[in-house]
Structures are given as C-alpha cells and as structure tokens.
Amino acid sequence: MAFSLYSHILTHKSLKPNNFTYPSLFKACGSHPWFDHGRALHTHVFKFLEPPYDHFVQASLLNFYSRYGKLSLSRYLFNQICKPDLATWNSILAAYARNTSIDLSVDALFLFNEMQNSLIRPNEVTIVALIGVCADLGALSQGTWAHAYVLRSNLRLNRFVGTALIDLYAKCGCVDLANQVFDQLPHKDTLCYNAMIRGLAIHGHGRKAVDLFDKMRWEGVRPDDVTLVVVMCACAHVGLVEEGLKCFESMKEVYGIEPKLEHYGCLVDLFGRAGRVREAEEMVRMMPMKPNAVLWRSLLGASRLHGNLELGEVALKHLIQLEPETSGNYVLLSNIYASINRWDDVSRVRKLMKDHGVDKTPGCSLIEIGGAMHEFIMGDKTHPHSKEIYLKLEEISRRLHAHGHRPRTKEVLFDIEEEEKEDALSYHSERLAIAFALIASDSNAPIRIIKNLRVCGDCHVSTKLISMIYDREIVVRDRNRFHHFRNGTCSCLDYW
DNA sequence: CTAGGGTTAG
C-alpha cells in the first residue's frame, strides 16, 4: 500500500517532510480504516513543522477531522488560525456542510458572513458548501442569493455548483428551478442526474424520474449505486412496483452493481407501501445482510399505512433493539393502536417509552419570511408575534370546524382531556408556521415549510383544508419528502 | 496549474 511507504518515509530521520507531503497524506487518511494513522500524522506535524503552520497543511487537517465527524475539533483548529485564507475558509465551511443539523447549519451561515467580512472572496468551492447548508435548512432566499452570486461574480456554473443547486432547489420545494439548472448544465455526470432524479422522487414525480433514468442511459451517462437507490425510491413513492423491481433485478447484470443494504431497503419499501406486505417481509428474511433501523422503520410505516398490526409489532421490537431512544418509532406504533381504539396497548407503548427514558422529540418547523428564517417549536410562544399567531390559529380552527373538520385526537399520544388534545394538535409546529405565514406574507406566493418530523395524520387532513379555505398553496418538507397542498388535495395522494 | 467542493432507502 502506498500508505505504508509514506509512513516509512516519515519515520526516516534523514527525510524531513515538508508542507507538501502532509496534505496528500491527510487526504489518504480521510477514509475508513486510517483514522489512527491520520492522528499519528497530526502529532508528526507538531514535531517536524515550526508554527505558524502552512495553510495548505491546516486545510487538510481540518478536512481530515471533519470527515470523521469531528466538527468541533476542526472548528477548534480553525479558530487557532489567525488569518484564514480561502483554502482554510473553504475547509471549515465544507466541514459544516457535511453536517445536517439545523443549529450547525445556522452557525455555518454566520461563519460565511464572517468570511465575507474578512474580505476573502468566495470561489466555487465556497459556494458549493454554502448552497449545501442552505439546502439542509431549506433557506431558499439565501440559496438563491448564492446562485445569483455565481452569475454576478463570473464564477463557473460547473457540475459541482450545478449539482448543489439542483439539490438546493429540489430540497426547497422548487423542482422546476432544479430542472432549469439541470437543463443548463453542459456536461452532466452521474451525480447531476442522481440529484435531479432524487429531486423528482421527493416531489412524487415517479414517472418523470424513471424517464430521466432512461434518458441518462440514452445519453451514455453511467448509473451508479446511488442512481439505483434514487430511482427505486421514486418508484416506491408512487407505487411503480414493477418498474422498481425491474431496476433491482437489472442492477447486477446490466450495470454490474452489487445490491447494498439501501437497495434492499428500497425494495422492502416498494412492497410495503404498495400493501404487498408478505413480499416485504419475505424480502427482509431473504436478504443477505442484517436489516437496519431504517428498514424496520419503513416496515413500521407500511404497517401504519395498511393497518397491519402484527408487522408493526415485530418492527418495533427490532427498532427498540437497534435504537431504543428514537421516540418516533414508539409514536408510530402507538398511533396504529389508537386508530383502532386499543387504548391498553397505547398505554403499554407509553410505558415502554418511559422505561427506556425516551421523550417525544418536539416537532419543529422552519419558514422563511422576507428573507429571514423563523423557527417554531410545537406549542411555543416565544415568537415576537406570538399573540397574533395564536389569534390566527383560533380563526383557522374555527374555519376548519365550519368546514366539518374534526381533529383526529386519536393520534395524540398523551392521556389528556379531549379539549386539550385538540389544542395539542392545533399547536403543532407547522400549524404555527402556517398561521404566521398567513399573517406575515401578503402575497399569493406558496407557503414553504421545513419540518423535522413526519407530518401527522391530523395535520395532513387540516393542511389540505387550509390550502382550500385560504386559497393558498402550502408546500411542506417532511423528514423524507414533500407535500404540495393545493385546493384541498396533497401531491402525495395520501400515500406517505 | 494548485488545497477545499456536488448525489444516497425512511
């Protein structure tokens, strides 16, 4: 291995490594088994190089740690650089972009702001990181600003920037814009297609996704394992079972791609969503690797969708083993019990949660109004316009009621009075965000919301009605996909 | 020209 040769050189006394040896070594240590080597290398840097360290070396060091998820260490090292240059700025921003947490993404935006204050001019690499952060946040106007910056500053709209933009627009609910960028790219590689196919998938355009997959091969762009994942995911979300199966079966022979856990996961989801629960279960038993939490959760989702209790119970049993602290799993099964009035079982699941010390993750919705992001936590009253928002919520509830909507209180986990349950539902974070948007944005532009959890059954029904009553398009990004509410219907066709 | 950059089942 080239690596051991390098370590040999490093330990050789007569060969003193210089600023150019280290970065390539850190890069080589950036994947799986070589974390310890990279750490050892870091110690070498201290021994052999005199501070101040070269930026080239610093950047590669930041990068190395962030690839192993050690963001705070990267940040610590970054803070010690007194005058960061373009490379070090890009490295730290890329480190933040690798992380999807909301708080860290917000930190990244502040960091970018700081970079601009330091008068270092961003290049394509900076913008790619920035766009990635915006995509995670669903910060459409910040992302659009970044796009405009590329055009204004004569940066190249290369395939890196292009892919990031496609992903941004798709994750902000604007598939058409994603498509426009996609069409403008002169040289599209596999990743460009993957991002676009995935974008179509999360918006429920399964047929278009499959067509694009066909076009991709027609254009001679080679599909990879990710392509197959996103195409099968697109099929699963619109019930194109045969198409999805065909993809899976052709993977190995036609494309020479060995199916991984994700592909089996897609297959299970494909069957599960379509109500072919038997086949889904059989697949779990037959597959050559051990099913993980994502896969069991997809089965749990299928059992909710099709009311298959036994399957749900089996799935939760496995989920408790694999991730005992994820509240969503318990809530999902509890809701299935509640929907068929098995209250004893509901309390049993609640007790299970207590035993494992699990609290329900609070729902959180983000919405962008006038270029600023607003965050709402379920039931929170900390927003400066809280008073108006709650007045609006009352109005919404009244109008929903007038349209015959009765809150589906069965899905409320807690053992509380019926009236309080209704409140709990109408204070779900996306409802707060919708109320605020109805007050604060006077245009007819769609209301775009980013949620940390899945939409609950009651919110799904109510939001459909709200879109009709207020004649407003509402676009909600779920934990895994989009819902376009319009005129009382949802683009997911209630199949989520 | 050169470090740093894009997609991934629920």
Side-chain angles (χ1 to χ4, degrees):
Chain A
M1 207 68 246
F3 186 82
S4 34
L5 181 64
Y6 271 118
S7 0
H8 184 72
I9 295 170
L10 282 174
T11 45
H12 199 285
K13 288 202 177 74
S14 61
L15 288 170
K16 194 182 170 195
N18 59 30
N19 287 340
F20 295 93
T21 337
Y22 285 115
S24 45
L25 280 172
F26 279 123
K27 199 174 178 187
C29 295
S31 62
H32 259 340
W34 284 314
F35 179 66
D36 290 336
H37 291 262
R39 285 238 295 222
L41 211 57
H42 188 177
T43 333
H44 265 281
V45 172
F46 282 129
K47 253 191 232 160
F48 284 93
L49 296 182
E50 296 288 324
Y53 301 114
D54 186 85
H55 280 160
F56 200 170
V57 177
Q58 303 267 28
S60 61
L61 196 53
L62 295 184
N63 232 323
F64 165 72
Y65 282 115
S66 84
R67 274 182 206 287
Y68 287 97
K70 314 224 171 276
L71 179 61
S72 43
L73 187 47
S74 292
R75 180 61 197 262
Y76 171 77
L77 293 166
F78 177 78
N79 288 343
Q80 296 190 318
I81 303 171
C82 65
K83 259 193 172 312
D85 68 347
L86 182 61
T88 37
W89 273 113
N90 284 350
S91 300
I92 193 66
L93 285 169
Y96 274 86
R98 284 190 189 101
N99 216 296
T100 55
S101 111
I102 292 182
D103 292 341
L104 293 174
S105 302
V106 172
D107 288 350
L109 291 182
F110 281 117
L111 212 53
F112 176 72
N113 204 24
E114 251 178 72
M115 174 182 180
Q116 285 204 295
N117 290 339
S118 79
L119 301 179
I120 303 247
R121 290 180 63 93
N123 68 354
E124 288 87 350
V125 181
T126 326
I127 295 298
V128 166
L130 179 65
I131 293 172
V133 166
C134 294
D136 289 337
L137 279 174
L140 180 58
S141 61
Q142 292 264 18
T144 308
W145 180 91
H147 188 177
Y149 184 92
V150 170
L151 305 175
R152 172 157 46 96
S153 317
N154 278 323
L155 295 182
R156 284 171 309 163
L157 215 163
N158 60 20
R159 56 186 210 283
F160 293 98
V161 178
T163 308
L165 281 173
I166 291 165
D167 186 52
L168 166 82
Y169 285 127
K171 285 188 179 151
C172 289
C174 315
V175 228
D176 296 341
L177 289 176
N179 229 321
Q180 268 179 38
V181 174
F182 181 77
D183 287 338
Q184 281 168 15
L185 289 181
H187 305 293
K188 301 190 244 291
D189 66 1
T190 304
L191 274 78
C192 303
Y193 276 93
N194 291 353
M196 192 62 233
I197 293 172
R198 163 85 176 144
L200 292 167
I202 56 177
H203 287 279
H205 302 308
R207 190 69 252 172
K208 285 186 186 165
V210 173
D211 289 346
L212 189 59
F213 179 48
D214 289 336
K215 184 173 175 248
M216 172 182 190
R217 285 171 294 163
W218 183 251
E219 302 276 341
V221 181
R222 215 186 158 77
D224 65 3
D225 54 335
V226 177
T227 317
L228 272 299
V229 168
V230 295
V231 176
M232 287 173 67
C233 157
C235 293
H237 278 271
V238 289
L240 285 169
V241 181
E242 296 312 317
E243 288 279 357
L245 266 176
K246 223 171 68 194
C247 288
F248 185 81
E249 280 157 5
S250 60
M251 286 185 65
K252 211 165 157 179
E253 291 140 44
V254 183
Y255 310 109
I257 301 165
E258 197 64 42
K260 296 198 292 190
L261 179 57
E262 290 95 317
H263 301 101
Y264 286 97
C266 289
L267 212 51
V268 169
D269 196 43
L270 195 70
F271 285 129
R273 275 179 201 272
R276 291 164 65 166
V277 177
R278 267 257 143 73
E279 286 150 290
E281 280 186 283
E282 199 179 301
M283 193 49 67
V284 176
R285 270 203 307 277
M286 303 285 284
M287 53 188 268
M289 53 285 267
K290 197 170 173 274
N292 65 358
V294 175
L295 200 145
W296 286 118
R297 193 158 35 249
S298 139
L299 275 180
L300 185 53
S303 70
R304 180 201 63 101
L305 196 60
H306 300 287
N308 187 321
L309 207 51
E310 295 101 275
L311 179 61
E313 285 167 344
V314 172
L316 187 70
K317 205 179 269 172
H318 284 93
L319 281 166
I320 290 176
Q321 297 286 314
L322 292 166
E323 37 175 53
E325 306 201 338
T326 303
S327 62
N329 300 333
Y330 302 85
V331 174
L332 223 55
L333 185 64
S334 161
N335 285 347
I336 302 176
Y337 285 131
S339 68
I340 52 173
N341 294 319
R342 282 174 54 169
W343 301 107
D344 289 351
D345 290 312
V346 171
S347 346
R348 216 191 66 229
V349 176
R350 276 188 51 210
K351 189 172 175 306
L352 219 53
M353 280 179 83
K354 237 190 210 147
D355 292 346
H356 285 92
V358 183
D359 291 325
K360 194 170 178 292
T361 308
C364 164
S365 290
L366 295 175
I367 187 167
E368 203 186 84
I369 304 277
M373 295 300 289
H374 298 257
E375 186 185 41
F376 293 93
I377 313 282
M378 175 184 171
D380 95 54
K381 299 196 169 163
T382 57
H383 194 278
H385 294 286
S386 194
K387 213 168 165 193
E388 293 149 86
I389 292 169
Y390 277 80
L391 280 174
K392 194 71 181 175
L393 278 177
E394 273 176 38
E395 179 202 303
I396 293 172
S397 289
R398 263 203 315 280
R399 295 187 68 175
L400 281 173
H401 207 82
H403 275 80
H405 175 65
R406 299 293 173 268
R408 293 174 28 171
T409 49
K410 282 178 178 174
E411 290 189 13
V412 181
L413 189 65
F414 307 100
D415 213 4
I416 48 181
E417 297 300 315
E418 200 62 16
E419 203 175 308
E420 288 175 43
K421 282 186 184 175
E422 286 195 23
D423 277 354
L425 285 172
S426 58
Y427 297 157
H428 273 178
S429 66
E430 63 261 59
R431 194 78 63 85
L432 297 178
I434 290 170
F436 180 56
L438 287 173
I439 301 167
S441 64
D442 46 6
S443 67
N444 293 322
I447 295 171
R448 299 176 194 285
I449 292 167
I450 313 289
K451 258 211 92 168
N452 65 336
L453 305 174
R454 289 171 41 141
V455 181
C456 84
D458 184 71
C459 284
H460 200 260
V461 177
S462 329
T463 310
K464 282 196 280 188
L465 274 172
I466 294 170
S467 76
M468 185 180 75
I469 297 170
Y470 289 88
D471 189 24
R472 203 62 189 271
E473 192 180 340
I474 301 170
V475 184
V476 179
R477 186 173 97 184
D478 214 49
R479 196 148 188 95
N480 359 292
R481 61 162 301 156
F482 273 89
H483 301 266
H484 292 258
F485 297 97
R486 186 189 237 151
N487 274 326
T489 62
C490 178
S491 63
C492 78
L493 303 171
D494 303 336
Y495 191 68
W496 90 106

